[in-house]
Amino acid sequence: MTRARESYGEDTGTRQASSGRDVPVTAEGLPEWLSPVAGAAGTIEPRQLSRFLPPESGGRQSAVLILFGHGPRGPELLLMERAGTLRSHAGQPSFPGGALDPEDGDPEGGGPVRAALREAQEETGLDPSGVQVFGVLPRLYIPVSGFVVTPVLGWWREPSPVGAVDQAETARVFTVPVADLTDPGHRVTTRHPSGHVGPAFLVENALVWGFTAGVIDRILHYAGWEIPWDRDKQVPLDWRS
């Protein structure tokens, strides 16, 4: 993680965003409850997050925004649900995010941070100026799509209205209280017909699984927020998932 911290300027200042504004990556001024997440982000190793790591070469560079806010029920996460008509991952909840564009800049520098904020704005209408980026996690890999994904951690310091910008791509945008994510009653394990087994969450009338659920699961664990849950409680997936 040392390389990531240096690349994204946590210790050296700011990077210039494609929109013309600086994007500082700093944990200063965060609410106390986010300190465990910021602390874990500074030390966590790639294999502590996932067994699927990027290949030495190739893969499509992308980024997601893991945005923490504070709502009526306390800390919460921003998620979106993909439209049910999409060819891949239809109806699946996810973090806002997508592939890097050339104007985002260097994938080894500030490109993923800018891409995460840009994609979140395009998909949810989020105002990036209200987001404090406080960490960047190691790059992970999604074998089924070939995406190399950089998770970008943000604090929603100044909340702005959000919603599905394009209904053809996004069915809805919603927040999930962290209390619901840690509630053992909302936690299950999914089993895909391919044999893949992973953590999942039954929250906000949605089944959060796959890459998104895996990252949330690891954040809860390394932040010390995880509550023991029944890993034998399984939800089957079908081949369309």
Side-chain angles (χ1 to χ4, degrees), residues 138-151:
R139 290 183 177 89
L140 304 176
Y141 188 57
I142 303 180
V144 67
S145 62
F147 277 101
V148 175
V149 185
T150 300

Side-chain angles (χ1 to χ4, degrees), residues 11-32:
D11 299 321
T12 60
T14 61
R15 303 287 180 178
Q16 189 69 21
S18 57
S19 62
R21 72 177 183 87
D22 290 337
V23 183
V25 181
T26 176
E28 292 184 7
L30 291 178
E32 186 62 30

